[in-house]
Amino acid sequence: MPVPLVEATGLEVRFGHRAVIAGVSLCVRAGEVHGLLGPHGAGKSVLLRTLAGELTPSRGTARADRAALVGDAAP
């Protein structure tokens, strides 16, 4: 099985007291295609911005090519 290119575990992003995303986990391996579907305000853009390193999660970790991007394991 290929090594994950992007992996997120238990991501949570809070703006004040409001959790915008909570408990998001995913794994994307080479050759896979994933889509994010949901209504306006569901947190799709917040998840992508977090995986891109623009936002810091309140909890959880994200890795790209086995290197910590953000979260608990980031330097």
Side-chain angles (χ1 to χ4, degrees), residues 11-29:
L11 283 183
E12 179 178 302
V13 176
R14 299 184 73 80
F15 294 143
H17 295 292
R18 181 174 168 229
V20 179
I21 59 172
V24 174
S25 297
L26 62 89
C27 180
V28 179
R29 292 183 170 83

Side-chain angles (χ1 to χ4, degrees), residues 3-71:
V3 174
L5 296 177
V6 177
E7 188 172 26
T9 306
L11 283 183
E12 179 178 302
V13 176
R14 299 184 73 80
F15 294 143
H17 295 292
R18 181 174 168 229
V20 179
I21 59 172
V24 174
S25 297
L26 62 89
C27 180
V28 179
R29 292 183 170 83
E32 294 182 340
V33 177
H34 290 249
L36 294 173
L37 300 173
H40 176 70
K44 302 175 298 291
S45 296
V46 171
L47 175 60
L48 292 176
R49 289 179 62 199
T50 303
L51 292 174
E54 290 182 27
L55 298 174
T56 302
S58 304
R59 290 190 185 150
T61 59
R63 298 177 180 278
D65 199 20
R66 294 187 260 176
L69 294 173
V70 293

